[in-house]
Amino acid sequence: MGIKRLYWTSSTAKYPPQVFYQETEVGATCLRFGKHRPCANVPSDVLVVCGTITANLLSFCSWGFSRKDVVKSLLRLGHLLFLCLAVSVMWAQNPPQDVVLTAMQQELQRSFNNLKKTPVPPYFLSYQLTDNRGIQISASFGALTASVDQTTRLLDIDLRVGDYSMDNTHPVRNAGAYDASGQFERQAMPIENDPDALRVALWQETEHKYRSAVQRLQQVKANVEVKVQAEDRSGDFSHEPAETYSEPVAPFAFDTAMWEQKLRKFTAPFAQHKEIIENGAQMVAEIETRRYVNSDGSNIKISSPLFRIILSATAKADDGMELPLQQTYLSFRPEGLPSDDTVLKDVSRMVTTLLALVKAPVADPFTGPAILSGRASAVFFHEIFGHRVEGQRQKNEDEGQTFKNRVNQLVLPDFLSVYSDPRLKVLAGTDLVGFYPYDDEGVKARRVTVVDKGVLKNFLMSRAPIQGFDHSNGHGRRQQGYKVVARQSNLIVESSKHVSRAELKNLLIAQVKAANKPYGLFFDDIEGGFTFTQRLQPNAFNVRPTVVYRIYPDGREELVRGVDLIGTPLIAFSKIVAADDEVSVFNGMCGAESGWVPVSASSPGLLISQMEVQRKEKSQERAPILPPPPATQEN
């Protein structure tokens, strides 16, 4: 009978690549290197020989022979092993096609090739398609307030005309306080995986972006002609290698009814205290799948789930001051979130702290020694330091450019080093939300040493070059709809010298006595903050602590309320004198010119010889007069 069917994978023209599969299940015999077993989905006149090449490499080769050729086939087992290895390698290098990604590639290539024939051709084009399914449950004072399950698909296009040295994204100087051209152009896309519908939508948006890009390039050229020469004359876009990377869509499972009940339980205790005027809990479960292709040849697919519990409550003192507290839990896996008992213990602690804050004395404006806990220090470095080492701020002449000319100079104490590493997914058992394998410009994430032993070495870079730094280091980020700029990811502060927390407190007391101050301050927790980096405003910061203690010379600690931590960056950095051994992580959402992106920061506790605080704003409304109603049922 001879060989009747032959299915294999080959790189030769004689045997085109294919993988055998049959829909109809019929009886057959499978040989797995000499061991017989039933085999499904194989025609009765075909023998399939397959096997494991190594412990980690499963091959799916299939040779089809008539049964008369079985013996002859087995004599060629050595050839078969070679073919199995070839199939396995090719399968790993060429995973099953993603129809959405394929449609994006095809339309990008078609549009780019056609637009290259126009009088003003593009030199770069990229599509980023972001799928998001988000389930958000909200509760307050023991009752649900919302439960939403939403799916979106959003498109971002980067189309550039001109060339790498100057293109349509070039800043138009003196175009107003904020050049918002094309700043927010997020486009909703069909959520079904219909290649034809997707390509139509991509075509329409590409046409719109091209017309806008050509018009803006004319504005850019006119603006350059009438303005003084820029201080930094580096190009507008960097050459970067094409990248290929693909992840399967991550598994995503979520029990909405179970979490609705949990949030009722987590928020019920806050309802029993009239001092607590606001309370909320949110459970956010989402999966984001990001597909990216560009005209350089990059082809990237990333998929990641994220689960967050956010507890918040606000108490009101008799003088009208509102006192917020927040507790956040985060994990890339639902089983990584804390148990109900752990959350309820934290709820109890929050209630106790809020009731104590209501009765605490109001702090006065003060300057003197202070300790920032690890979490407070992490927020401090993110706000005060991290934003000032984002690359585009060194080029924009409206920016203060705090560190532009400080490369290879001492900017921090020599016992501190700082790096940014978006590849870190977990640190000290805590998931880091600043994790990603590739940034929003298709550049591979990498660790960047920003400060080494106090000396500034690097900036965080997107594909927008600056003087002395010609290439991206994987920190181009954005919220969907915004332009990409360099942003922080996971900012890690490390100290080569450290003491215990108790020793750090003793050092603080020594500073208090030496400065003849009545007390020092300990900032235990912080809700966030902000900083000004532009020349138009004072280059100052405001960090908003929630739990602050006075530490007296005799070691006594007193809870106080109503202060904001303020100052200017260069003075604050010069006053850091010691670090402890209690490293903490802060996870949060950071808002800047490219929208809101998830970030993490980590730091030990720090002793700063001089910090300034000012009084916090307060409401003029009185605290509630009526007590809350009694509970009628057990939660």
Side-chain angles (χ1 to χ4, degrees):
M1 230 175 128
I3 295 177
K4 184 174 182 180
R5 290 184 176 86
L6 175 62
Y7 296 89
W8 64 342
T9 301
S10 169
S11 59
T12 66
K14 184 177 180 181
Y15 302 109
Q18 54 184 311
V19 176
F20 171 80
Y21 42 107
Q22 176 81 19
E23 295 298 331
T24 305
E25 181 174 338
V26 293
T29 300
C30 269
L31 258 74
R32 197 174 191 81
F33 296 117
K35 296 182 180 179
H36 295 267
R37 62 178 177 80
C39 191
N41 301 336
V42 182
S44 58
D45 62 341
V46 172
L47 174 71
V48 175
V49 184
C50 55
T52 302
I53 304 302
T54 70
N56 298 318
L57 186 60
L58 180 64
S59 68
F60 295 94
C61 300
S62 51
W63 279 63
F65 300 91
S66 66
R67 294 196 183 281
K68 293 180 180 179
D69 292 317
V70 168
V71 175
K72 185 178 178 181
S73 300
L74 291 178
L75 291 175
R76 299 179 182 176
L77 184 58
H79 190 195
L80 173 66
L81 291 174
F82 172 78
L83 289 170
C84 286
L85 180 60
V87 170
S88 298
V89 171
M90 291 186 69
W91 181 273
Q93 291 176 345
N94 300 283
Q97 281 192 336
D98 181 301
V99 295
V100 175
L101 201 58
T102 300
M104 293 170 65
Q105 291 172 308
Q106 291 173 345
E107 186 54 35
L108 181 139
Q109 194 63 48
R110 189 191 73 86
S111 294
F112 191 65
N113 288 341
N114 283 324
L115 289 173
K116 292 291 277 185
K117 303 171 187 176
T118 62
V120 186
Y123 75 91
F124 178 84
L125 174 62
S126 72
Y127 295 155
Q128 185 181 69
L129 206 60
T130 305
D131 292 354
N132 183 282
R133 182 189 173 196
I135 302 172
Q136 182 170 315
I137 304 169
S138 302
S140 179
F141 294 122
L144 286 183
T145 57
S147 185
V148 179
D149 188 337
Q150 185 177 26
T151 299
T152 60
R153 172 174 283 170
L154 301 172
L155 171 67
D156 288 283
I157 296 179
D158 186 6
L159 189 152
R160 293 172 179 256
V161 294
D163 56 38
Y164 285 89
S165 62
M166 188 175 72
D167 63 29
N168 53 291
T169 70
H170 192 89
V172 175
R173 287 180 283 173
N174 297 119
Y178 188 62
D179 178 15
S181 173
Q183 179 64 30
F184 189 82
E185 292 188 353
R186 180 172 62 188
Q187 179 62 36
M189 295 285 286
I191 62 174
E192 296 176 319
N193 294 342
D194 180 341
D196 292 337
L198 288 168
R199 290 189 64 174
V200 168
L202 289 167
W203 159 65
Q204 290 175 329
E205 287 306 308
T206 305
E207 173 77 14
H208 168 69
K209 289 290 287 188
Y210 174 73
R211 292 174 182 271
S212 298
V214 171
Q215 291 176 356
R216 194 169 192 282
L217 181 61
Q218 294 173 343
Q219 296 173 2
V220 166
K221 289 180 176 179
N223 186 260
V224 169
E225 289 296 322
V226 300
K227 299 299 179 184
V228 298
Q229 192 174 61
E231 295 175 5
D232 186 334
R233 295 184 291 279
S234 51
D236 286 336
F237 204 51
S238 67
H239 294 269
E240 303 296 342
E243 300 283 357
T244 300
Y245 179 82
S246 181
E247 297 175 350
V249 175
F252 182 74
F254 185 75
D255 188 335
T256 300
M258 179 185 75
W259 279 99
E260 287 175 346
Q261 184 56 34
K262 284 176 181 283
L263 261 61
R264 292 186 185 99
K265 181 166 59 175
F266 296 161
T267 57
F270 295 102
Q272 300 307 307
H273 305 277
K274 74 172 186 176
E275 296 90 347
I276 299 177
I277 59 169
E278 293 178 3
N279 161 246
Q282 284 188 332
M283 174 66 206
V284 181
E286 61 182 338
I287 177 170
E288 181 178 279
T289 300
R290 176 159 49 97
R291 297 173 176 89
Y292 177 89
V293 296
N294 69 23
S295 53
D296 293 336
S298 290
N299 182 325
I300 296 167
K301 179 182 175 184
I302 296 169
S303 185
S304 178
L306 185 63
F307 300 86
R308 288 176 288 165
I309 304 173
I310 305 165
L311 298 174
S312 62
T314 301
K316 196 175 188 68
D318 288 340
D319 61 2
M321 184 176 291
E322 295 181 356
L323 306 161
L325 282 183
Q326 182 170 298
Q327 177 71 48
T328 302
Y329 314 92
L330 178 146
S331 179
F332 296 111
R333 301 165 294 110
E335 58 270 23
L337 295 170
S339 67
D340 290 6
D341 287 344
T342 299
V343 175
L344 288 171
K345 285 179 182 177
D346 286 342
V347 167
S348 178
R349 177 188 55 79
M350 288 177 69
V351 170
T352 300
T353 302
L354 286 169
L355 297 179
L357 282 169
V358 166
K359 301 180 184 304
V362 177
D364 294 316
F366 174 78
T367 180
I371 290 174
L372 276 66
S373 69
R375 176 179 164 83
S377 296
V379 177
F380 177 80
F381 260 87
H382 169 85
E383 292 292 349
I384 317 312
F385 181 81
H387 284 298
R388 286 177 167 80
V389 294
E390 293 166 340
Q392 75 280 355
R393 302 191 192 284
Q394 321 314 314
K395 190 174 185 177
N396 186 340
E397 294 180 28
D398 291 331
E399 290 283 341
Q401 300 175 334
T402 306
F403 296 120
K404 177 181 179 179
N405 297 316
R406 301 290 297 276
V407 177
N408 293 322
Q409 295 182 27
L410 199 69
V411 296
L412 293 173
D414 60 8
F415 59 86
L416 291 182
S417 296
V418 182
Y419 67 91
S420 181
D421 193 349
R423 304 169 306 168
L424 281 178
K425 198 169 187 178
V426 180
L427 183 66
T430 300
D431 288 346
L432 302 179
V433 298
F435 163 80
Y436 54 87
Y438 287 82
D439 72 5
D440 289 304
E441 293 180 306
V443 178
K444 192 172 186 177
R446 67 200 71 173
R447 172 171 167 155
V448 178
T449 298
V450 182
V451 174
D452 183 30
K453 298 176 183 177
V455 177
L456 181 67
K457 293 294 184 181
N458 226 322
F459 296 109
L460 306 181
M461 296 294 298
S462 67
R463 291 187 69 170
I466 61 173
Q467 187 175 342
F469 298 86
D470 296 331
H471 291 281
S472 170
N473 51 34
H475 282 78
R477 306 187 68 193
R478 64 156 160 234
Q479 179 186 356
Q480 282 69 55
Y482 289 83
K483 291 180 180 178
V484 172
V485 299
R487 298 288 296 275
Q488 297 173 68
S489 56
N490 296 319
L491 192 74
I492 312 298
V493 181
E494 293 182 337
S495 176
S496 60
K497 303 188 300 185
H498 47 76
V499 298
S500 68
R501 174 59 58 82
E503 290 174 302
L504 199 69
K505 180 179 176 180
N506 289 335
L507 290 174
L508 172 73
I509 292 172
Q511 294 249 345
V512 168
K513 292 178 178 178
N516 197 28
K517 295 289 184 178
Y519 53 80
L521 295 174
F522 172 51
F523 298 91
D524 188 29
D525 202 4
I526 282 178
E527 65 171 328
F530 58 90
T531 187
F532 298 111
T533 63
Q534 293 193 326
R535 302 182 189 186
L536 184 64
Q537 304 113 333
N539 264 224
F541 60 81
N542 185 316
V543 176
R544 305 176 67 84
T546 55
V547 181
V548 184
Y549 294 88
R550 288 174 179 156
I551 298 181
Y552 291 94
D554 60 3
R556 179 170 51 94
E557 297 183 9
E558 180 186 32
L559 182 68
V560 295
R561 61 182 171 94
V563 294
D564 284 344
L565 179 58
I566 60 171
T568 54
L570 294 179
I571 290 178
F573 297 142
S574 70
K575 301 295 184 179
I576 299 173
V577 295
D580 69 16
D581 54 5
E582 296 187 18
V583 176
S584 295
V585 172
F586 170 81
N587 281 309
M589 298 295 293
C590 174
E593 57 267 60
S594 66
W596 292 89
V597 297
V599 295
S600 302
S602 171
S603 175
L606 297 174
L607 171 60
I608 301 176
S609 62
Q610 186 175 21
M611 292 297 293
E612 183 176 356
V613 296
Q614 68 178 18
R615 284 195 169 182
K616 189 186 296 287
E617 80 283 355
K618 73 181 185 72
S619 168
Q620 300 303 309
E621 300 297 325
R622 296 181 58 185
I625 299 171
L626 294 174
T632 58
Q633 59 184 7
E634 187 174 334
N635 290 284

